[in-house]
């Protein structure tokens, strides 16, 4: 998981049966099959991991809305181009304006096309010897920590969310919203390992 070979995603799934986690192909990407407040999901995951990590939790409904607005490839014939979604813990600031292109000019590697709530979406491509990752561009442009998943991973999350949808549960609290949902709210938790003390030594937020 994120370079930590001593801890596998399957171990996190087994350690947190109450969250009914499902691991998505990308390391450190999960869908929770039970409704839980965002803060409790984050705290449970961080307390279980044997290393410190930044855990981003977003409601499944936000993922579903995002998938309805996929970014457009700049050159459909360029095999190095890949769509991405970079997500932060909170809605991204209204500035700077998009598109954001880095580096500027024909040698661009990251093109942020739109911002939807906590998501910045766009296209990445390989150009030149140094690889520029979307997270680097988003963190520098918006001044917030962020983690990136390729669009095919987001689509896999969307399929998993549909798969775990169950019968309505009146009164079940909605995650990251101010209202209650008639159905269980699903959350996708994306982990980005960091440096520091083990998560179990301090509570998550």
């Amino acid at each position: 998981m994120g370079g930590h070979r001593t801890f596998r995603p399957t171990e996190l799934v087994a350690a947190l049966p109450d969250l009914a986690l499902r691991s998505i192909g990308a390391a450190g990407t999960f869908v929770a099959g039970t409704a839980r407040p965002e803060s409790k999901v984050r705290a449970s995951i961080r307390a279980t991991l044997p290393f410190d990590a930044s855990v981003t939790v977003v409601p499944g409904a936000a993922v579903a809305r995002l998938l309805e607005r996929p970014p457009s490839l700049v050159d459909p014939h360029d095999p190095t181009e890949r769509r991405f979604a970079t997500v932060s813990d909170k809605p991204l600031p209204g500035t700077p304006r998009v598109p954001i292109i880095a580096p500027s000019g024909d040698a661009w590697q990251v093109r942020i096309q739109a911002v939807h709530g906590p998501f910045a979406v766009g296209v990445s491509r390989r150009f030149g010897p140094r690889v520029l990752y979307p997270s680097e561009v988003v963190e520098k442009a918006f001044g917030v920590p962020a983690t990136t998943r390729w669009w095919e991973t987001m689509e896999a999350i969307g399929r998993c969310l549909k798969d775990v949808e169950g019968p309505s549960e009146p009164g079940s609290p909605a995650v990251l919203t101010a209202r209650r949902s008639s159905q269980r709210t699903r959350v996708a938790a994306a982990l980005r390992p960091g440096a520091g003390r083990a998560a179990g030594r301090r509570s998550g937020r």
Side-chain angles (χ1 to χ4, degrees):
M1 177 182 289
H4 293 263
R5 297 183 180 181
T6 60
F7 195 86
R8 301 177 184 276
T10 53
E11 295 180 54
L12 184 65
V13 171
L16 296 171
D18 58 317
L19 294 183
L21 293 176
R22 295 192 182 190
S23 178
I24 306 300
T29 304
F30 305 88
V31 168
T34 57
R36 291 289 187 279
E38 173 258 358
S39 59
K40 290 187 177 181
V41 172
R42 180 184 289 111
S44 295
I45 292 174
R46 293 190 65 194
T48 303
L49 294 174
F51 52 85
D52 196 11
S54 173
V55 180
T56 300
V57 182
V58 294
V63 175
R65 289 192 299 269
L66 178 73
L67 291 173
E68 295 175 354
R69 298 174 285 187
S72 300
L73 291 175
V74 177
D75 181 0
H77 301 292
D78 185 346
T80 70
E81 286 193 10
R82 299 183 73 181
R83 298 180 176 95
F84 68 84
T86 299
V87 61
S88 177
D89 277 333
K90 58 188 65 176
L92 296 173
T95 55
R97 295 182 179 180
V98 294
I100 299 172
I101 302 172
S104 60
D106 294 337
W108 68 271
Q109 291 192 54
V110 175
R111 183 184 294 256
I112 300 173
Q113 298 177 350
V115 173
H116 306 300
F119 297 98
V121 299
V123 176
S124 173
R125 71 169 179 171
R126 295 291 299 270
F127 197 99
R130 180 184 180 275
V131 178
L132 181 63
Y133 292 99
S135 295
E136 298 178 61
V137 179
V138 171
E139 291 181 343
K140 182 177 180 180
F142 294 92
V144 295
T147 185
T148 296
R149 295 296 181 269
W150 299 119
W151 198 255
E152 52 265 33
T153 299
M154 299 304 298
E155 290 176 328
I157 292 172
R159 290 191 296 270
C160 188
L161 288 166
K162 290 180 180 179
D163 185 50
V164 300
E165 283 298 331
S168 61
E169 293 184 354
S172 179
V175 179
L176 297 182
T177 67
R179 61 182 179 82
R180 291 180 179 271
S181 172
S182 60
Q183 290 188 332
R184 291 180 293 177
T185 300
R186 311 300 176 182
V187 295
L191 275 66
R192 184 165 60 95
R197 297 175 298 174
R201 297 179 184 175
R202 66 179 185 182
S203 61
R205 179 181 175 186

